[in-house]
Amino acid sequence: MKYHESTIVVRYAETDQMGIVYHANYLVWMEIGRTDFLESIGLRYFDMEQEGYISPVLDVHISYKRAMKYGQKAVVKTWIKSYDGFRVVYGYEIRQEGGNDIHISGETEHIAVRKVDFKPVSTRRTFPTWHEAYLEAMKS
């Protein structure tokens, strides 16, 4: 299975008055991880959108284990947890750079839909390049 790691510097604007990362910012970091992961396997959401499709989030789960704080560096590890030709689930773990403890774990589920009417499409048929890249990433 292929994994990709993205490093995020915790910015002051992402924290609350106590210097703790506000919980919703982890969703942004997961999106950064997912976008970087896709680029690491040769795919870009931009290209999908140019063809008239988008990939919305259907479901998200986050488990908060330890807080990240201002001044730390976060490492977002991203991979494809499951894929069935239609739905794809990405897995995430967020750690402090240089640390082994998981601070945040989560997953997001996505499908491809037409931009004009949000009608779901089969990734396997509509985006064969994505389909093959997903399968390859899951076995490598």
Side-chain angles (χ1 to χ4, degrees), residues 10-130:
V10 179
R11 294 167 291 267
Y12 185 77
E14 295 171 320
T15 64
D16 60 19
Q17 192 173 10
M18 298 175 290
I20 305 295
V21 173
Y22 178 68
H23 70 278
N25 286 313
Y26 296 112
L27 287 169
V28 174
W29 295 359
M30 290 163 62
E31 183 174 348
I32 290 168
R34 183 173 63 255
T35 302
D36 288 351
F37 172 84
L38 288 172
E39 289 181 2
S40 79
I41 62 172
L43 304 172
R44 295 184 325 152
Y45 278 133
F46 178 81
D47 297 330
M48 179 185 278
E49 291 181 14
Q50 291 297 105
E51 293 184 41
Y53 298 88
I54 55 176
S55 183
V57 175
L58 294 178
D59 200 7
V60 62
H61 296 273
I62 298 178
S63 180
Y64 302 95
K65 301 171 187 313
R66 286 188 164 79
M68 295 292 302
K69 298 177 183 174
Y70 175 64
Q72 295 178 326
K73 287 186 180 178
V75 176
V76 181
K77 181 179 180 180
T78 308
W79 66 96
I80 296 175
K81 195 169 181 179
S82 66
Y83 169 67
D84 64 6
F86 188 71
R87 296 176 192 268
V88 59
V89 177
Y90 297 94
Y92 310 89
E93 290 178 354
I94 301 176
R95 294 179 165 83
Q96 182 178 345
E97 185 178 58
N100 293 322
D101 294 335
I102 297 171
H103 288 241
I104 306 296
S105 63
E107 62 182 49
T108 57
E109 180 180 350
H110 303 256
I111 58 169
V113 300
R114 295 188 322 199
K115 245 191 226 187
V116 294
D117 59 7
F118 268 66
K119 181 180 181 207
V121 297
S122 164
T123 302
R124 178 183 6 231
R125 280 181 257 158
T126 309
F127 296 100
T129 304
W130 286 65

